[in-house]
Amino acid sequence: MPSKRSARGLLFALLLLALALLIVGCGGSSSSSSSESTEATEAEPETTGGGEEAEGEEAEEGSGEKREKIAIILPEPKNDGSFAQANYEGAMKAAEAAGVELQVVEPVVTPAEFTTQGTALAREGTEFMLIANGGVESAFLQTAKQFPDTFFCEIAVEVKELPANACTYTVSFQSGTFLAGALAGWMTKTGKVGAITGFGVPATYAQTEGFLLGAKWANPEVEILPNVTTGSGTNIQQARSAAQALISQGADILFSAADSSTAGMISAAEEKPGTYVIPQYIVNPSWSKEVVLTTVVNGLSQMAEETTMKGIEGTISNEAYEFPIPAKGGILTPLESDVPAEVQTKVEEVQKELSEGKIEVPFLSEPNTASKYDLSKLPAPPK
Amino acid sequence: MDVVESILVIAVLVAVPVLWGALGEALGETAGVLNVGVEGVMLFGAFASAYVAQKTGSPYLAAGSAIPAGLICGVILAYFYVYRGTEQIVTGLLFNMVVLGLTTALFGKALSGEGTLPSLPKLAIPLLDKIPLAGPALFELTLLGYLGIVAAVGLFWVIGRTWLGLHLRALGERPAAGEAAGLDVLRLRASALVGGCVLASIGGAAIDLTVAQSFIPNLTNGEGFIAIALVLIFRRDPLWLLLGAFLFGIATSLQFQLQVISALQKIPSEVLLALPYLATIVAVAFSTRARFPAAVGVPYRRIRRQTTTRLFGRWFASGQEIPESEVPENA
């Protein structure tokens, strides 16, 4: 029979557990609403025939009814200064413009976490859910099938059979990073560039390899150092150590597909004057402008905004939305003044060619494949 | 920067926070408290210092703020581990969860988007910092780097060469014997735990003030658990912990330097990334003589009624007399 003392100990342990769960829960979900109106953006996404891909499922044209209960699911905190924040800001902008409440659930990393949170939201009557996490594909599809009254849309995944109440949205991330690579190829002084991948998955490798390919394409003299993977998008120490390794090998321009842990790369670059970092997704004011050469924003916020707006307006359908590369601006932001005008012009030319489809950047999903890629498959770079 | 020099610089950079965490854990374990919550303590210290750094702009004030942060954590944990006698592993894990949730929630309210944090400047020791390869790594540290070495030596002296150290070690092995000799077991254990939490909290501050220059949720990323492993492998010896933390830093640094070597490109990055953790597991496997003190992790119950009302006892000590039949084995 347990003593009174051990029973009290158990009670305290249970209280502590309850407190832990309460705090973790409070940190994980919030909602925001606003009735402020903002201008809607104009770029229209191309669809890659989600109806065609959705074998066995009829493509829906969208109900046209306004949805009031919407939510966004993020893999990291909404203020991570990177991928999650870019998506959050876009979705929030749409919610503000439409005057609806946006429920934010973060961080949701694993498929199991998505199933739990997605199910809870759907049960609560959420009508539209934007899933800014490309790593929960199977859970996303399963949950979508379970809750036909909720519309789900996930970023950057390829799905063969989209349910009637689901869509995907993406942009050619590797095209944006290719452009950044070309810039790096023209700007490097040491003749060496490197890239750091956070989570080593095909989507992130395609970004880093796209960058390395762009550098090699723009300047064949450039030595592209091996792709370094840290295994985390949040471990700043790892990112810093990885950046230091590349810098010690002579790299003076580093590209980051390491989300918020890019802060570690910035710290390493600050210690070696003349070293630049090219982050992604959002212009982060926390990061020193001295070392950020440019940011590959890739129109991510805009993409989230437009998709959310379609969801709110009820015009969204079960398609794979692929957003176009703009002919000018919207990818590398800003191009710092220390980028010579001649290089800026060349960057604009390349962006135009990417936009027009004259340059098709391959999706290199394996690390260290850019160095082996046959550059003759691509058109010649501008002189 | 030369590759070898770079490996050493990064190794020391990574080693400093782990060293502080390990010293804190060693102090608690010596007195018989297994503080699995060291990860949470480091995270709380990191958050507190980031907050103060952001508000004051002074990295030194920020580093100092880790001390009260550690005290707060220490008092909370002492209440549960020492005075309530809760299961230490479960309590420690729950404490880590609470701190993770709390700092994640507070991060959104108090820290994000506020710019890069000021970092502690490097203090070079003239001439020594010019020594090839090792100079920049060993003689161009931040204040917390030098203090970490001083703390390791100081703790070695306190634990190994003083009466206080002898008392603490006695509590880790046979607390009842300590009590029979007139020691206030609970108070001493609580004091060692609180002291250990202060050291670990400084380790957390070292992460955002020397390595990261920013705070993000879960900044510590398991460093507290590495600290616990090091303490087990190196048997709580602060000087060996100094070496252990450095070796962990070397392994961490190597995992990226090896990825940059073209000839090793065929090795999957996952294998190289696991290097420091594999090294730690191998070290634990070979440390067959490594063991915790006999009474570590076992809550101590007083045999006789104590009238102590000093420090924590005033608030927390139940002062209940335990029947002989319930006296734990370690007594």
Side-chain angles (χ1 to χ4, degrees):
Chain A
M1 187 178 164
S3 68
K4 210 185 267 184
R5 195 181 173 90
S6 63
R8 270 190 289 174
L10 183 65
L11 182 66
F12 272 102
L14 287 172
L15 279 173
L16 201 59
L17 177 63
L19 182 65
L21 294 174
L22 186 70
I23 292 177
V24 171
C26 286
S29 175
S30 62
S31 64
S32 320
S33 65
S34 172
S35 55
E36 284 177 29
S37 71
T38 49
E39 279 181 34
T41 48
E42 288 171 4
E44 277 297 314
E46 290 171 9
T47 57
T48 53
E52 280 173 26
E53 288 177 357
E55 292 165 28
E57 297 281 0
E58 208 171 301
E60 289 203 342
E61 287 302 315
S63 63
E65 287 174 23
K66 186 177 177 182
R67 295 184 174 103
E68 299 280 347
K69 286 197 81 172
I70 63 165
I72 183 168
I73 289 187
L74 302 168
E76 286 181 30
K78 64 176 184 267
N79 44 18
D80 73 338
S82 190
F83 181 80
Q85 187 168 341
N87 277 284
Y88 166 74
E89 286 183 358
M92 191 62 203
K93 211 169 170 184
E96 284 177 348
V100 301
E101 185 178 343
L102 176 70
Q103 175 118 17
V104 184
V105 182
E106 28 104 54
V108 175
V109 183
T110 64
E113 286 171 352
F114 173 76
T115 303
T116 314
Q117 298 293 338
T119 302
L121 285 169
R123 281 188 188 282
E124 287 165 14
T126 301
E127 296 165 284
F128 174 74
M129 215 182 290
L130 193 75
I131 305 150
N133 180 346
V136 296
E137 184 186 328
S138 55
F140 145 73
L141 291 173
Q142 181 124 4
T143 314
K145 282 173 185 165
Q146 269 186 333
F147 296 95
D149 293 336
T150 304
F151 201 98
F152 298 79
C153 202
E154 186 181 9
I155 192 169
V157 286
E158 273 189 45
V159 179
K160 282 185 182 170
E161 291 184 40
L162 272 169
N165 61 325
C167 74
T168 61
Y169 67 106
T170 193
V171 68
S172 171
F173 286 104
Q174 71 272 17
S175 296
T177 61
F178 179 88
L179 186 62
L183 171 67
W186 289 314
M187 289 293 291
T188 177
K189 290 190 171 61
T190 61
K192 290 181 181 180
V193 300
I196 293 175
T197 311
F199 283 113
V201 294
T204 50
Y205 281 134
Q207 292 168 7
T208 43
E209 292 301 314
F211 170 84
L212 296 171
L213 183 65
K216 190 80 183 163
W217 171 76
N219 182 358
E221 301 299 314
V222 163
E223 182 183 345
I224 54 175
L225 295 178
N227 197 327
V228 178
T229 308
T230 65
S232 164
T234 56
N235 193 327
I236 297 179
Q237 292 205 73
Q238 301 267 48
R240 177 166 179 160
S241 303
Q244 191 78 49
L246 288 169
I247 292 168
S248 71
Q249 296 282 340
D252 64 345
I253 300 181
L254 309 176
F255 171 73
S256 168
D259 296 356
S260 54
S261 68
T262 303
M265 297 172 63
I266 304 281
S267 300
E270 279 175 336
E271 287 197 348
K272 175 93 175 178
T275 305
Y276 291 102
V277 175
I278 302 180
Q280 278 197 99
Y281 308 129
I282 196 164
V283 178
N284 189 331
S286 302
W287 296 341
S288 169
K289 286 177 185 168
E290 305 291 316
V291 297
V292 175
L293 184 63
T294 186
T295 303
V296 190
V297 291
N298 254 334
L300 185 57
S301 280
Q302 190 180 344
M303 202 162 81
E305 181 187 349
E306 288 180 32
T307 310
T308 306
M309 188 54 87
K310 279 176 178 288
I312 294 169
E313 290 172 344
T315 54
I316 204 158
S317 53
N318 67 328
E319 293 174 16
Y321 294 99
E322 179 155 355
F323 284 74
I325 298 289
K328 194 172 183 183
I331 298 185
L332 302 186
T333 307
L335 263 183
E336 287 299 334
S337 55
D338 45 358
V339 175
E342 177 202 350
V343 174
Q344 291 198 26
T345 308
K346 286 201 274 193
V347 167
E348 283 171 11
E349 271 180 54
V350 176
Q351 181 168 345
K352 194 162 176 285
E353 289 186 27
L354 285 167
S355 163
E356 290 167 355
K358 289 179 182 164
I359 303 174
E360 284 190 23
V361 182
F363 186 87
L364 302 173
S365 59
E366 296 281 327
N368 303 313
T369 42
S371 54
K372 297 165 197 154
Y373 189 81
D374 181 5
L375 290 173
S376 64
K377 291 180 183 172
L378 298 169
K383 298 290 176 194
Chain B
M1 191 183 279
D2 181 81
V3 173
V4 176
E5 190 178 296
S6 170
I7 290 172
L8 293 175
V9 167
I10 284 295
V12 173
L13 198 67
V14 171
V16 170
V18 176
L19 173 66
W20 281 101
L23 292 176
E25 181 65 20
L27 184 55
E29 283 189 20
T30 301
V33 182
L34 177 63
N35 184 13
V36 177
V38 69
E39 169 83 4
V41 177
M42 290 179 76
L43 186 57
F44 193 68
F47 177 82
S49 58
Y51 183 77
V52 172
Q54 179 196 286
K55 293 295 172 197
T56 65
S58 164
Y60 291 105
L61 272 179
S65 70
I67 295 172
L71 280 171
I72 293 169
C73 292
V75 169
I76 293 170
L77 287 170
Y79 172 66
F80 284 102
Y81 288 155
V82 181
Y83 291 103
R84 300 303 322 169
T86 56
E87 214 289 318
Q88 292 179 11
I89 293 176
V90 175
T91 309
L93 291 173
L94 290 174
F95 179 79
N96 292 337
M97 284 174 66
V98 169
V99 175
L100 176 60
L102 186 69
T103 51
T104 302
L106 290 175
F107 166 74
K109 306 265 183 263
L111 275 177
S112 67
E114 297 287 341
T116 308
L117 297 175
S119 64
L120 284 166
K122 287 187 172 178
L123 308 170
I125 298 177
L127 299 179
L128 292 178
D129 68 325
K130 302 288 183 235
I131 296 173
L133 302 180
L138 300 177
F139 302 108
E140 209 177 306
L141 305 180
T142 63
L143 180 66
L144 289 184
Y146 292 120
L147 284 180
I149 296 169
V150 172
V153 175
L155 199 61
F156 173 78
W157 181 76
V158 169
I159 291 176
R161 303 279 186 274
T162 66
W163 280 105
L164 176 63
L166 185 65
H167 292 165
L168 292 176
R169 281 183 283 140
L171 300 188
E173 296 291 348
R174 290 188 68 82
E179 185 172 359
L183 298 179
D184 186 336
V185 177
L186 301 190
R187 185 177 160 221
L188 268 174
R189 275 191 168 179
S191 303
L193 177 64
V194 171
C197 284
V198 169
L199 296 178
S201 177
I202 294 172
I207 298 177
D208 51 24
L209 297 175
T210 63
V211 188
Q213 287 178 254
S214 56
F215 181 90
I216 57 170
N218 197 20
L219 179 75
T220 43
N221 263 298
E223 299 229 344
F225 296 109
I226 293 294
I228 294 173
L230 288 179
V231 171
L232 174 67
I233 295 164
F234 295 102
R235 300 176 211 174
R236 301 168 304 287
D237 185 319
L239 296 185
W240 279 103
L241 287 176
L242 200 59
L243 178 69
F246 180 67
L247 291 177
F248 175 74
I250 290 277
T252 303
S253 185
L254 274 179
Q255 66 183 341
F256 300 114
Q257 289 289 356
L258 294 178
Q259 285 190 52
V260 181
I261 298 171
S262 301
L264 298 178
Q265 277 182 24
K266 284 188 179 166
I267 300 175
S269 60
E270 290 80 2
V271 174
L272 297 173
L273 284 173
L275 198 63
Y277 310 101
L278 285 175
T280 309
I281 291 169
V282 168
V284 169
F286 280 93
S287 308
T288 49
R289 289 176 63 195
R291 66 168 187 89
F292 287 120
V296 87
V298 182
Y300 183 72
R301 296 178 185 179
R302 284 175 170 143
I303 301 170
R304 295 185 304 276
R305 176 182 291 275
Q306 295 287 317
T307 54
T308 307
T309 55
R310 286 168 292 179
L311 196 60
F312 303 108
R314 183 192 302 275
W315 304 305
F316 302 143
S318 65
Q320 286 180 341
E321 190 168 347
I322 296 171
E324 282 299 320
S325 59
E326 285 190 27
V327 173
E329 280 181 18
N330 68 327

